[in-house]
Amino acid sequence: MNILLAEDDERLGELVSHMLNRKAGYRVEWVMSGRDAYDYATASHYDILLLDWMMPDGDGIHTCRKLRKTGYQGAILMLTAKDSLKDRVDGLDAGADDYLVKPFELEELLARIRALTRRNYAPLIQEVMPIGSLTLDRNSFTVQREGESIQLTPREFQLLDLLAANQGQVLTRELMLDRIWGYDADVSAKIVDATVKLLRKKLETFGLEEMIQSVRGVGYKLEN
């Protein structure tokens, strides 16, 4: 299960992400702002978003409402110290599916996560995706054009997959680095540029090297 945790308290964020991974085997990505929570949630698939109410760049209610307005259908669990009836109503009205008051026990958090996944809020992922004249298959991790395969490394495939899932949108190097290599990976954003260069070289064989466009000083986007 993939979980996105948005929590600005460094100690709590480390504890929750570590325990969810170690005790439940969940894959957890941790961000520390509402803006990053929005960017990550809209850039990839997560089974559940654990969203802190109060963050440096605004409250989680704003992020939750913004996600729902864009059609986000994933499960959202609000984490907050606010426990009044009005606060709970505000959270649910903003689009949250559940509400957990701090401090909380890990076992209760796990139970809430299990309950939300049983409700099947998460949207289905398209396993075979057309990208112009290409076909990307997430089951076999292959990319083909008119029956001919393009041999990609796992990182190259992940990078193309991420860009394809967000066609026309500019993705920053930092976001791509976090999504593919992990936020705690001991590599720099230059690895993104190097991987894009290798991927373009392979696409060049089919005259598709211009599919991945550079956005100066920001990152990359994919255009058919």
Side-chain angles (χ1 to χ4, degrees), residues 51-158:
L51 186 60
D52 184 31
W53 185 298
M54 297 299 297
M55 285 179 283
D57 58 344
D59 61 51
I61 291 295
H62 173 75
T63 301
C64 182
R65 187 175 289 114
K66 185 178 177 182
L67 283 168
R68 293 307 191 200
K69 282 184 177 179
T70 61
Y72 182 77
Q73 298 179 37
I76 300 177
L77 172 59
M78 296 292 300
L79 306 176
T80 178
K82 296 175 177 286
D83 61 353
S84 71
L85 176 60
K86 181 181 183 304
D87 292 327
R88 278 178 271 180
V89 170
D90 288 345
L92 294 172
D93 283 346
D97 298 294
D98 202 354
Y99 192 101
L100 187 57
V101 177
K102 300 177 183 178
F104 51 80
E105 296 292 332
L106 178 64
E107 291 304 322
E108 182 178 5
L109 175 60
L110 290 172
R112 299 290 184 104
I113 289 173
R114 289 193 296 269
L116 284 176
T117 55
R118 284 196 297 270
R119 296 178 196 174
N120 196 28
Y121 279 104
L124 295 174
I125 299 177
Q126 186 179 3
E127 297 297 344
V128 179
M129 179 187 298
I131 315 170
S133 60
L134 299 178
T135 300
L136 183 147
D137 191 329
R138 293 191 177 103
N139 289 315
S140 60
F141 296 96
T142 59
V143 177
Q144 293 189 344
R145 184 174 185 265
E146 297 177 354
E148 186 174 353
S149 295
I150 303 175
Q151 299 301 319
L152 302 181
T153 67
R155 296 299 191 197
E156 290 165 354
F157 181 89
Q158 288 176 293

Side-chain angles (χ1 to χ4, degrees), residues 18-51:
H18 175 72
M19 293 302 289
L20 287 177
N21 178 265
R22 186 169 67 87
K23 288 203 67 173
Y26 298 151
R27 182 175 182 269
V28 182
E29 293 197 62
W30 170 34
V31 297
M32 301 181 70
S33 71
R35 178 177 298 175
D36 283 346
Y38 178 84
D39 288 344
Y40 275 61
T42 54
S44 189
H45 167 76
Y46 296 94
D47 297 285
I48 290 184
L49 167 58
L50 305 180
L51 186 60

